[in-house]
Amino acid sequence: MMSQLVCVARIGAAHGVRGAVKLWTFTEDPFAVRRYGPLVTQDGKRQFEVAQAREAKDHLVATFKGVTTRDEAERLNGIELYVAREKLPATDEDEYYHTDLIGLAAVTTTGDALGRVVAVHNFGAGDIIEIAPPTGTTLLLPFSNAVVPEVNVAGGRVVIALPQEIEDEPSPS
């Protein structure tokens, strides 16, 4: 059985003429991507090893072993890079890898089913948890202690305290 892969970075546009790329990391320490060994594509067919990395404004500028020209770098734009779950450090209490949350059942504080967690996003103003109900539009809610007071990964669920404005909406009929 293949170990679970976790997305740790996404390759962006080429940077300069010597094969460097912008690298958007999803790790607490952006340079951690260098410590995980080879990074692989989701299908496992390609692997990349970070040769050098330096900090830029909100990303890294990185080079990969074997990528030496701008043309080669341009062909990598948009590729997501993964590592095996067991290579990642253990999480502290109240810390979660997004991959651990996806698929968990979402219930209200009174135990009513809301749906399943389908994604955790961050558009720059903090994490947003996306919940897909059995029917209808997905809910996008702040992933904060006030809105998500309980995460039970082992129990397979998150508890959602719906903000008042959502609770007051009439149900679609």
Side-chain angles (χ1 to χ4, degrees):
M1 183 177 141
M2 195 170 150
S3 70
Q4 182 183 19
L5 294 176
V6 177
C7 184
V8 293
R10 181 179 40 81
I11 300 172
H15 182 89
V17 296
R18 294 193 173 97
V21 295
K22 292 180 178 180
L23 186 64
W24 307 94
T25 61
F26 310 127
T27 52
E28 187 174 24
D29 170 12
F31 292 99
V33 295
R34 295 187 67 183
R35 295 191 294 269
Y36 297 137
L39 306 172
V40 297
T41 53
Q42 188 171 20
D43 62 10
K45 292 182 179 175
R46 296 179 70 189
Q47 90 177 21
F48 299 86
E49 196 167 338
V50 177
Q52 294 182 342
R54 66 178 171 81
E55 207 162 1
K57 186 174 182 176
D58 54 359
H59 59 278
L60 297 179
V61 173
T63 56
F64 295 107
K65 290 184 180 173
V67 178
T68 58
T69 69
R70 183 174 182 88
D71 284 348
E72 290 171 327
E74 284 174 346
R75 288 194 291 272
L76 303 178
N77 192 357
I79 292 176
E80 291 182 331
L81 301 173
Y82 294 77
V83 297
R85 171 60 193 261
E86 58 268 12
K87 289 187 177 184
L88 297 173
T91 56
D92 290 333
E93 190 176 333
D94 292 336
E95 276 189 338
Y96 313 96
Y97 288 115
H98 292 184
T99 192
D100 293 339
L101 302 173
I102 294 168
L104 295 182
V107 299
T108 65
T109 53
T110 58
D112 296 329
L114 279 176
R116 293 225 166 261
V117 177
V118 293
V120 179
H121 306 282
N122 190 316
F123 303 111
D127 287 335
I128 303 288
I129 191 167
E130 182 176 357
I131 298 167
T135 59
T137 312
T138 62
L139 297 170
L140 294 173
L141 300 167
F143 189 32
S144 65
N145 289 336
V147 176
V148 188
E150 182 185 333
V151 175
N152 184 341
V153 174
R157 73 180 204 156
V158 295
V159 174
I160 305 293
L162 288 173
Q164 190 65 41
E165 55 272 13
I166 294 175
E167 280 188 0
D168 291 343
E169 283 184 15
S171 300
S173 27

